mmCIF file of all heavy atoms in Angstrom:
data_model
loop_
_atom_site.group_PDB
_atom_site.id
_atom_site.type_symbol
_atom_site.label_atom_id
_atom_site.label_comp_id
_atom_site.label_asym_id
_atom_site.label_seq_id
_atom_site.Cartn_x
_atom_site.Cartn_y
_atom_site.Cartn_z
ATOM 1 N N LYS A 4 10.029 5.572 9.276
ATOM 2 C CA LYS A 4 11.360 6.146 9.471
ATOM 3 C C LYS A 4 12.406 5.515 8.547
ATOM 4 O O LYS A 4 13.314 6.199 8.059
ATOM 5 C CB LYS A 4 11.791 5.983 10.928
ATOM 6 C CG LYS A 4 11.054 6.882 11.906
ATOM 7 C CD LYS A 4 11.546 6.672 13.333
ATOM 8 C CE LYS A 4 10.862 7.636 14.297
ATOM 9 N NZ LYS A 4 11.300 7.421 15.710
ATOM 10 N N LEU A 5 12.276 4.195 8.293
ATOM 11 C CA LEU A 5 13.270 3.489 7.491
ATOM 12 C C LEU A 5 13.089 3.697 5.997
ATOM 13 O O LEU A 5 14.060 3.705 5.243
ATOM 14 C CB LEU A 5 13.192 1.988 7.780
ATOM 15 C CG LEU A 5 13.936 1.448 8.993
ATOM 16 C CD1 LEU A 5 13.654 -0.041 9.146
ATOM 17 C CD2 LEU A 5 15.432 1.680 8.866
ATOM 18 N N SER A 6 11.857 3.850 5.550
ATOM 19 C CA SER A 6 11.546 3.871 4.122
ATOM 20 C C SER A 6 11.870 5.231 3.506
ATOM 21 O O SER A 6 12.092 6.215 4.215
ATOM 22 C CB SER A 6 10.069 3.534 3.914
ATOM 23 O OG SER A 6 9.243 4.507 4.521
ATOM 24 N N PRO A 7 11.903 5.303 2.176
ATOM 25 C CA PRO A 7 12.151 6.584 1.510
ATOM 26 C C PRO A 7 11.184 7.670 1.977
ATOM 27 O O PRO A 7 10.014 7.396 2.283
ATOM 28 C CB PRO A 7 11.930 6.242 0.030
ATOM 29 C CG PRO A 7 12.300 4.796 -0.067
ATOM 30 C CD PRO A 7 11.832 4.179 1.213
ATOM 31 N N ASP A 8 11.667 8.903 2.038
ATOM 32 C CA ASP A 8 10.890 10.033 2.549
ATOM 33 C C ASP A 8 9.552 10.173 1.819
ATOM 34 O O ASP A 8 9.488 10.062 0.590
ATOM 35 C CB ASP A 8 11.673 11.337 2.394
ATOM 36 C CG ASP A 8 12.865 11.394 3.343
ATOM 37 O OD1 ASP A 8 12.880 10.612 4.309
ATOM 38 O OD2 ASP A 8 13.770 12.211 3.097
ATOM 39 N N GLY A 9 8.508 10.424 2.601
ATOM 40 C CA GLY A 9 7.191 10.689 2.019
ATOM 41 C C GLY A 9 6.218 9.551 2.147
ATOM 42 O O GLY A 9 5.009 9.739 1.956
ATOM 43 N N LEU A 10 6.719 8.351 2.471
ATOM 44 C CA LEU A 10 5.831 7.208 2.661
ATOM 45 C C LEU A 10 5.407 7.185 4.130
ATOM 46 O O LEU A 10 6.090 6.648 4.994
ATOM 47 C CB LEU A 10 6.549 5.909 2.270
ATOM 48 C CG LEU A 10 6.901 5.801 0.788
ATOM 49 C CD1 LEU A 10 7.928 4.710 0.544
ATOM 50 C CD2 LEU A 10 5.643 5.545 -0.050
ATOM 51 N N ASN A 11 4.273 7.780 4.409
ATOM 52 C CA ASN A 11 3.862 8.050 5.790
ATOM 53 C C ASN A 11 2.716 7.194 6.305
ATOM 54 O O ASN A 11 2.397 7.227 7.491
ATOM 55 C CB ASN A 11 3.455 9.521 5.920
ATOM 56 C CG ASN A 11 4.607 10.457 5.643
ATOM 57 O OD1 ASN A 11 5.728 10.206 6.077
ATOM 58 N ND2 ASN A 11 4.342 11.522 4.898
ATOM 59 N N LYS A 12 2.072 6.437 5.424
ATOM 60 C CA LYS A 12 0.928 5.619 5.821
ATOM 61 C C LYS A 12 1.253 4.150 5.553
ATOM 62 O O LYS A 12 1.799 3.805 4.506
ATOM 63 C CB LYS A 12 -0.329 6.029 5.050
ATOM 64 C CG LYS A 12 -0.714 7.506 5.238
ATOM 65 C CD LYS A 12 -1.106 7.805 6.684
ATOM 66 C CE LYS A 12 -1.617 9.233 6.860
ATOM 67 N NZ LYS A 12 -0.540 10.245 6.808
ATOM 68 N N VAL A 13 0.867 3.269 6.520
ATOM 69 C CA VAL A 13 1.244 1.863 6.448
ATOM 70 C C VAL A 13 0.014 0.978 6.602
ATOM 71 O O VAL A 13 -0.737 1.112 7.568
ATOM 72 C CB VAL A 13 2.266 1.501 7.550
ATOM 73 C CG1 VAL A 13 2.735 0.058 7.383
ATOM 74 C CG2 VAL A 13 3.453 2.458 7.527
ATOM 75 N N PHE A 14 -0.184 0.079 5.657
ATOM 76 C CA PHE A 14 -1.237 -0.937 5.744
ATOM 77 C C PHE A 14 -0.543 -2.279 5.950
ATOM 78 O O PHE A 14 0.182 -2.759 5.068
ATOM 79 C CB PHE A 14 -2.084 -0.954 4.465
ATOM 80 C CG PHE A 14 -3.347 -1.763 4.580
ATOM 81 C CD1 PHE A 14 -4.538 -1.163 4.954
ATOM 82 C CD2 PHE A 14 -3.349 -3.126 4.327
ATOM 83 C CE1 PHE A 14 -5.718 -1.899 5.068
ATOM 84 C CE2 PHE A 14 -4.514 -3.877 4.444
ATOM 85 C CZ PHE A 14 -5.699 -3.255 4.812
ATOM 86 N N ILE A 15 -0.746 -2.890 7.118
ATOM 87 C CA ILE A 15 -0.067 -4.146 7.444
ATOM 88 C C ILE A 15 -0.893 -5.311 6.911
ATOM 89 O O ILE A 15 -2.109 -5.349 7.062
ATOM 90 C CB ILE A 15 0.109 -4.284 8.970
ATOM 91 C CG1 ILE A 15 0.773 -3.033 9.546
ATOM 92 C CG2 ILE A 15 0.949 -5.520 9.296
ATOM 93 C CD1 ILE A 15 0.830 -3.014 11.062
ATOM 94 N N CYS A 16 -0.218 -6.270 6.280
ATOM 95 C CA CYS A 16 -0.932 -7.425 5.724
ATOM 96 C C CYS A 16 -0.147 -8.713 5.968
ATOM 97 O O CYS A 16 0.834 -8.711 6.714
ATOM 98 C CB CYS A 16 -1.261 -7.215 4.252
ATOM 99 S SG CYS A 16 0.022 -6.427 3.287
ATOM 100 N N ASP A 17 -0.584 -9.786 5.330
ATOM 101 C CA ASP A 17 -0.149 -11.117 5.753
ATOM 102 C C ASP A 17 1.057 -11.675 4.995
ATOM 103 O O ASP A 17 1.810 -12.467 5.541
ATOM 104 C CB ASP A 17 -1.304 -12.117 5.593
ATOM 105 C CG ASP A 17 -2.540 -11.694 6.352
ATOM 106 O OD1 ASP A 17 -2.426 -10.871 7.266
ATOM 107 O OD2 ASP A 17 -3.637 -12.191 6.023
ATOM 108 N N SER A 18 1.213 -11.319 3.736
ATOM 109 C CA SER A 18 2.270 -11.935 2.931
ATOM 110 C C SER A 18 2.649 -11.001 1.792
ATOM 111 O O SER A 18 1.959 -10.007 1.524
ATOM 112 C CB SER A 18 1.799 -13.274 2.354
ATOM 113 O OG SER A 18 0.790 -13.059 1.380
ATOM 114 N N GLY A 19 3.725 -11.339 1.110
ATOM 115 C CA GLY A 19 4.200 -10.498 0.018
ATOM 116 C C GLY A 19 3.187 -10.342 -1.099
ATOM 117 O O GLY A 19 2.934 -9.233 -1.582
ATOM 118 N N SER A 20 2.590 -11.445 -1.541
ATOM 119 C CA SER A 20 1.596 -11.364 -2.614
ATOM 120 C C SER A 20 0.422 -10.492 -2.208
ATOM 121 O O SER A 20 -0.094 -9.704 -3.013
ATOM 122 C CB SER A 20 1.098 -12.767 -2.982
ATOM 123 O OG SER A 20 2.103 -13.511 -3.635
ATOM 124 N N VAL A 21 -0.013 -10.624 -0.953
ATOM 125 C CA VAL A 21 -1.127 -9.794 -0.483
ATOM 126 C C VAL A 21 -0.709 -8.326 -0.445
ATOM 127 O O VAL A 21 -1.500 -7.433 -0.773
ATOM 128 C CB VAL A 21 -1.607 -10.265 0.906
ATOM 129 C CG1 VAL A 21 -2.679 -9.328 1.445
ATOM 130 C CG2 VAL A 21 -2.142 -11.687 0.835
ATOM 131 N N SER A 22 0.525 -8.058 -0.070
ATOM 132 C CA SER A 22 1.014 -6.683 -0.069
ATOM 133 C C SER A 22 0.910 -6.061 -1.455
ATOM 134 O O SER A 22 0.505 -4.899 -1.609
ATOM 135 C CB SER A 22 2.470 -6.645 0.409
ATOM 136 O OG SER A 22 3.031 -5.362 0.255
ATOM 137 N N VAL A 23 1.264 -6.830 -2.478
ATOM 138 C CA VAL A 23 1.165 -6.319 -3.857
ATOM 139 C C VAL A 23 -0.299 -6.162 -4.264
ATOM 140 O O VAL A 23 -0.676 -5.193 -4.923
ATOM 141 C CB VAL A 23 1.927 -7.234 -4.830
ATOM 142 C CG1 VAL A 23 1.770 -6.724 -6.263
ATOM 143 C CG2 VAL A 23 3.413 -7.296 -4.468
ATOM 144 N N GLU A 24 -1.131 -7.118 -3.865
ATOM 145 C CA GLU A 24 -2.567 -6.986 -4.158
ATOM 146 C C GLU A 24 -3.125 -5.718 -3.522
ATOM 147 O O GLU A 24 -3.918 -4.994 -4.132
ATOM 148 C CB GLU A 24 -3.321 -8.212 -3.632
ATOM 149 C CG GLU A 24 -2.955 -9.506 -4.322
ATOM 150 C CD GLU A 24 -4.104 -10.126 -5.089
ATOM 151 O OE1 GLU A 24 -5.191 -9.528 -5.107
ATOM 152 O OE2 GLU A 24 -3.897 -11.183 -5.687
ATOM 153 N N VAL A 25 -2.713 -5.446 -2.288
ATOM 154 C CA VAL A 25 -3.157 -4.233 -1.603
ATOM 155 C C VAL A 25 -2.685 -2.995 -2.361
ATOM 156 O O VAL A 25 -3.438 -2.028 -2.540
ATOM 157 C CB VAL A 25 -2.643 -4.217 -0.145
ATOM 158 C CG1 VAL A 25 -2.813 -2.838 0.483
ATOM 159 C CG2 VAL A 25 -3.378 -5.268 0.685
ATOM 160 N N ALA A 26 -1.450 -3.010 -2.825
ATOM 161 C CA ALA A 26 -0.913 -1.879 -3.585
ATOM 162 C C ALA A 26 -1.711 -1.645 -4.862
ATOM 163 O O ALA A 26 -2.025 -0.495 -5.219
ATOM 164 C CB ALA A 26 0.557 -2.124 -3.915
ATOM 165 N N MET A 27 -2.037 -2.730 -5.555
ATOM 166 C CA MET A 27 -2.821 -2.602 -6.776
ATOM 167 C C MET A 27 -4.205 -2.038 -6.474
ATOM 168 O O MET A 27 -4.706 -1.160 -7.181
ATOM 169 C CB MET A 27 -2.923 -3.973 -7.450
ATOM 170 C CG MET A 27 -1.581 -4.516 -7.932
ATOM 171 S SD MET A 27 -1.612 -6.270 -8.335
ATOM 172 C CE MET A 27 -2.621 -6.255 -9.798
ATOM 173 N N LYS A 28 -4.820 -2.531 -5.401
ATOM 174 C CA LYS A 28 -6.144 -2.030 -5.040
ATOM 175 C C LYS A 28 -6.066 -0.560 -4.651
ATOM 176 O O LYS A 28 -6.970 0.226 -4.971
ATOM 177 C CB LYS A 28 -6.728 -2.867 -3.895
ATOM 178 C CG LYS A 28 -8.169 -2.500 -3.570
ATOM 179 C CD LYS A 28 -8.723 -3.285 -2.391
ATOM 180 C CE LYS A 28 -9.172 -4.650 -2.776
ATOM 181 N NZ LYS A 28 -9.912 -5.326 -1.664
ATOM 182 N N MET A 29 -5.006 -0.168 -3.933
ATOM 183 C CA MET A 29 -4.816 1.249 -3.607
ATOM 184 C C MET A 29 -4.777 2.098 -4.878
ATOM 185 O O MET A 29 -5.433 3.143 -4.961
ATOM 186 C CB MET A 29 -3.505 1.449 -2.836
ATOM 187 C CG MET A 29 -3.550 1.101 -1.377
ATOM 188 S SD MET A 29 -1.943 1.477 -0.594
ATOM 189 C CE MET A 29 -2.317 1.043 1.116
ATOM 190 N N ALA A 30 -3.999 1.650 -5.862
ATOM 191 C CA ALA A 30 -3.857 2.425 -7.102
ATOM 192 C C ALA A 30 -5.194 2.557 -7.824
ATOM 193 O O ALA A 30 -5.562 3.645 -8.297
ATOM 194 C CB ALA A 30 -2.814 1.770 -8.010
ATOM 195 N N PHE A 31 -5.943 1.458 -7.900
ATOM 196 C CA PHE A 31 -7.222 1.499 -8.595
ATOM 197 C C PHE A 31 -8.269 2.300 -7.819
ATOM 198 O O PHE A 31 -9.048 3.062 -8.400
ATOM 199 C CB PHE A 31 -7.731 0.077 -8.862
ATOM 200 C CG PHE A 31 -6.927 -0.667 -9.888
ATOM 201 C CD1 PHE A 31 -6.497 -1.956 -9.650
ATOM 202 C CD2 PHE A 31 -6.597 -0.072 -11.094
ATOM 203 C CE1 PHE A 31 -5.757 -2.650 -10.598
ATOM 204 C CE2 PHE A 31 -5.857 -0.746 -12.062
ATOM 205 C CZ PHE A 31 -5.429 -2.045 -11.809
ATOM 206 N N GLN A 32 -8.290 2.159 -6.499
ATOM 207 C CA GLN A 32 -9.271 2.921 -5.723
ATOM 208 C C GLN A 32 -8.916 4.406 -5.732
ATOM 209 O O GLN A 32 -9.812 5.264 -5.714
ATOM 210 C CB GLN A 32 -9.364 2.403 -4.279
ATOM 211 C CG GLN A 32 -10.586 2.983 -3.560
ATOM 212 C CD GLN A 32 -10.817 2.397 -2.184
ATOM 213 O OE1 GLN A 32 -10.324 1.317 -1.848
ATOM 214 N NE2 GLN A 32 -11.567 3.109 -1.356
ATOM 215 N N TYR A 33 -7.625 4.708 -5.769
ATOM 216 C CA TYR A 33 -7.216 6.108 -5.887
ATOM 217 C C TYR A 33 -7.752 6.709 -7.194
ATOM 218 O O TYR A 33 -8.313 7.818 -7.205
ATOM 219 C CB TYR A 33 -5.697 6.221 -5.839
ATOM 220 C CG TYR A 33 -5.174 7.627 -6.054
ATOM 221 C CD1 TYR A 33 -5.104 8.523 -4.991
ATOM 222 C CD2 TYR A 33 -4.765 8.059 -7.314
ATOM 223 C CE1 TYR A 33 -4.634 9.818 -5.177
ATOM 224 C CE2 TYR A 33 -4.288 9.347 -7.508
ATOM 225 C CZ TYR A 33 -4.231 10.221 -6.441
ATOM 226 O OH TYR A 33 -3.766 11.509 -6.631
ATOM 227 N N ALA A 34 -7.582 5.962 -8.290
ATOM 228 C CA ALA A 34 -8.082 6.452 -9.577
ATOM 229 C C ALA A 34 -9.595 6.644 -9.541
ATOM 230 O O ALA A 34 -10.117 7.665 -10.015
ATOM 231 C CB ALA A 34 -7.685 5.476 -10.688
ATOM 232 N N LEU A 35 -10.307 5.678 -8.972
ATOM 233 C CA LEU A 35 -11.766 5.789 -8.872
ATOM 234 C C LEU A 35 -12.168 7.001 -8.035
ATOM 235 O O LEU A 35 -13.101 7.736 -8.387
ATOM 236 C CB LEU A 35 -12.338 4.515 -8.259
ATOM 237 C CG LEU A 35 -12.308 3.251 -9.126
ATOM 238 C CD1 LEU A 35 -12.676 2.030 -8.290
ATOM 239 C CD2 LEU A 35 -13.254 3.388 -10.317
#
């Protein structure tokens, strides 16, 4: 509800660096 429109799925993680690692993995797995 708080985030910009269209961001509807949430992966909860432990820290900021891990959040970015998760984002990078999402991008690469999406491409694969």
Side-chain angles (χ1 to χ4, degrees):
K4 288 181 177 178
L5 276 176
S6 63
D8 290 342
L10 294 164
N11 297 319
K12 302 295 185 286
V13 185
F14 192 93
I15 308 173
C16 40
D17 304 341
S18 69
S20 290
V21 175
S22 172
V23 178
E24 295 244 2
V25 167
M27 295 165 69
K28 186 183 279 189
M29 281 183 177
F31 290 132
Q32 192 174 340
Y33 176 84
L35 289 170

